[in-house]
Amino acid sequence: MVPVVSTVARIYKALNPPNVDPSPDSPPIKFGILGAAKIAPIALVDPAKCHPEAVVLAVAARDKTRAEAFAKKHGIPKAYGGSNGYQELIDDPELDAIYNPLPNGLHYEWTMKALAAGKHVLLEKPSANTAEETRKMFELAEKKNLVLLEAFHYRFHPATQRVKEIIDSGELGSVTSLSATLAVPRGFVKEGDIRFDYSLGGGALMDMGCYTLNCIRFLSGVDPTDVQDATALAHVFKTPPSSSEASLVDDTTTAHLAFPNSMSGAIMCSLGLTGWGPFSILPRWPEVAAHVQCEGGEIKLFNYPGSWAYHYITVSKRKGSGRIARTEKAYKPKNGKGEDWWTTYRYQLEAFIDKLKGRTPQHWISAEDSIANMEWIEKIYSKTGLGPRPVSSFVLS
Ligand SMILES: NC(=O)C1=CN([C@@H]2O[C@H](COP(=O)(O)OP(=O)(O)OC[C@H]3O[C@@H](n4cnc5c(N)ncnc54)[C@H](OP(=O)(O)O)[C@@H]3O)[C@@H](O)[C@H]2O)C=CC1
Ligand SMILES: O=C1OC[C@@H](O)[C@H](O)[C@H]1O
């Protein structure tokens, strides 16, 4: 098949995965979803359909009709709704695990409640509004012997893993600098979106920047030592909200970070890249790449967040006064579990279920990793002058 046809066929299968029968030997992990969130179908519903040990049994939405419509559309047997719907979901004794794709500012409260109810949690990124809240969630999970995973799905994909493998192989020598971008053109994210609501933990650095930071921290293998500079452009609302805190929502943030061993890092994230050319009318493409400079060459991973749909890895190695370059693709691990059509979310679900079943996942994101990511988000926000996102008022009784 020509590449474009095979790519379309692979993406089609990824978005329409086959239904698999439940495993006769291993009871499925039964999930409940908090909120009829836009991300839930691709992040959990579809991956669960093609995992023999996962089933989505229930969904809750603030509005019962919305929960029922979501349940009907996705073949989910139970729907909870109304003012107590989220709590009823969490208290459902049939459920083993909760997927939390609520707005960032509600991650802490509902993850704490789910853990307190004895449920494992697959938690959307970024973990919470603050590092302290993230620490508390992981402490409770550990105390209750429950699995809590921040859903940085891209980490589980073979493409990201392959780049890390190339770096760690030493083929290109030591890393000298890293950068990652995640930015979408203006208009991509609509005005009333949770991403522009400060009270819900909005802002480009929270939404997109958490990936960029996570990516350079993962690929470098260490945490930064300092935020050298950070600049944020505030979002300009068409209809400015009455709250003065709306001015703390960043549209675009850039930061330069120092790393150990004289490594440097740079991130850029945006919820609204402006157009270019006369009067900025020419459209921009999303920016979705990670670059790693090494003493002996460089690596580019194009489309690390959406690597399942399409990506390429270019490895350019210095040789004498010239270079030798190659391009790799990694939709499936060379050794290990996976199919070329598995989405980043499907790989993530595999790891989550492996962990719950006592098997060793191919990859994992530790509590320390998630806490450190939030710490550095806070440090960058602090350097921009915008300050951290609001602390949750929730107290676990
Ligand atoms: N892993 C990934 O690739 C992605 C992750 N995300 C993350 O997932 C989360 C949700 O994002 P997304 O699906 O795009 O967002 P949505 O706005 O579609 O979903 C958020 C859900 O939160 C619920 N909710 C509860 N309280 C509120 C409130 N006060 N205001 C608004 N919504 C509320 C709503 O549920 P209800 O149905 O009950 O009304 C809604 O369905 C975020 O944390 C985001 O960072 C988002 C996109 C991609
Ligand atoms: O997690 C995400 O990944 C893709 C982005 O477009 C989105 O805003 C973000 O929430």
Side-chain angles (χ1 to χ4, degrees):
M1 268 196 287
V2 290
V4 67
V5 175
S6 61
T7 299
V8 170
R10 190 177 42 68
I11 293 173
Y12 182 82
K13 191 164 179 186
L15 295 174
N16 300 276
N19 280 312
V20 295
D21 292 332
S23 164
D25 314 316
S26 172
I29 301 297
K30 299 190 196 85
F31 282 88
I33 304 177
L34 276 170
K38 287 195 281 298
I39 189 60
I42 193 170
L44 182 67
V45 177
D46 291 345
K49 282 182 184 154
C50 58
H51 196 305
E53 296 168 293
V55 63
V56 178
L57 197 69
V59 61
R62 291 170 296 175
D63 175 56
K64 181 90 193 260
T65 314
R66 181 173 154 83
E68 284 168 350
F70 187 94
K72 190 170 172 209
K73 181 171 179 190
H74 297 288
I76 298 170
K78 296 189 197 182
Y80 293 101
S83 57
N84 206 32
Y86 288 0
Q87 191 61 51
E88 284 172 21
L89 177 101
I90 279 170
D91 289 337
D92 183 334
E94 271 203 277
L95 300 179
D96 306 301
I98 299 296
Y99 171 53
N100 183 350
L102 295 174
N104 306 332
L106 298 175
H107 285 182
Y108 174 68
E109 172 176 349
W110 288 99
T111 298
M112 291 298 275
K113 286 179 175 170
L115 293 168
K119 305 295 197 287
H120 305 285
V121 181
L122 177 60
L123 169 63
E124 266 310 334
K125 41 57 58 179
S127 298
N129 272 11
T130 69
E132 185 53 22
E133 289 168 356
T134 307
R135 190 173 292 110
K136 284 186 190 159
M137 290 188 292
F138 279 99
E139 277 170 8
L140 184 58
E142 194 181 358
K143 191 169 144 202
K144 300 205 60 138
N145 203 18
L146 293 165
V147 173
L148 172 60
L149 176 66
E150 184 181 22
F152 271 123
H153 55 106
Y154 84 100
R155 285 269 294 266
F156 298 87
H157 195 271
T160 306
Q161 292 298 319
R162 176 63 189 140
V163 172
K164 181 73 172 143
E165 185 182 64
I166 297 168
I167 295 169
D168 291 349
S169 75
E171 179 190 349
L172 300 177
S174 304
V175 174
T176 53
S177 67
L178 310 99
S179 64
T181 54
L182 186 51
V184 292
R186 178 148 300 158
F188 216 82
V189 180
K190 302 283 177 272
E191 193 78 0
D193 196 281
I194 55 170
R195 290 159 183 78
F196 292 128
D197 189 330
Y198 177 79
S199 71
L200 295 175
L205 183 59
M206 289 289 279
D207 183 56
M208 306 267 188
C210 67
Y211 282 100
T212 60
L213 184 60
N214 188 276
C215 183
I216 62 171
R217 288 182 48 254
F218 174 62
L219 294 179
S220 69
V222 283
D223 273 326
T225 51
D226 188 29
V227 182
Q228 292 170 315
D229 60 72
T231 311
L233 292 176
H235 180 65
V236 179
F237 290 88
K238 282 187 205 126
T239 314
S242 51
S243 162
S244 60
E245 290 175 331
S247 63
L248 302 176
V249 174
D250 50 320
D251 216 34
T252 299
T253 291
T254 52
H256 292 99
L257 304 155
F259 279 80
N261 305 319
S262 308
M263 272 189 293
S264 61
I267 60 165
M268 191 281 279
C269 55
S270 181
L271 290 167
L273 289 173
T274 43
W276 60 284
F279 308 106
S280 307
I281 54 165
L282 297 169
R284 294 273 294 268
W285 287 102
E287 294 188 20
V288 287
H291 291 87
V292 184
Q293 302 284 338
C294 301
E295 282 167 344
E298 62 232 15
I299 310 168
K300 173 180 176 180
L301 170 55
F302 173 75
N303 202 14
Y304 64 98
S307 50
W308 64 270
Y310 178 76
H311 70 267
Y312 59 81
I313 302 165
T314 50
V315 183
S316 171
K317 197 170 173 177
R318 274 193 277 283
K319 184 127 198 257
S321 55
R323 282 173 180 275
I324 300 175
R326 67 175 192 270
T327 302
E328 296 189 18
K329 304 271 169 75
Y331 289 101
K332 199 179 151 147
K334 278 206 199 89
N335 305 302
K337 292 187 285 184
E339 299 293 339
D340 65 356
W341 53 269
W342 278 17
T343 59
T344 45
Y345 309 100
R346 179 60 181 80
Y347 278 105
Q348 172 179 266
L349 183 64
E350 189 73 20
F352 190 74
I353 301 276
D354 279 347
K355 194 79 166 177
L356 286 185
K357 294 281 180 184
R359 302 185 291 253
T360 305
Q362 293 180 152
H363 179 63
W364 195 249
I365 299 173
S366 68
E368 296 71 34
D369 191 342
S370 292
I371 294 164
N373 216 57
M374 275 320 303
E375 276 170 356
W376 287 97
I377 287 175
E378 286 191 66
K379 285 178 187 174
I380 295 170
Y381 266 132
S382 168
K383 195 81 167 185
T384 62
L386 294 184
R389 306 299 90 176
V391 174
S392 171
S393 58
F394 174 71
V395 179
L396 187 66
S397 51

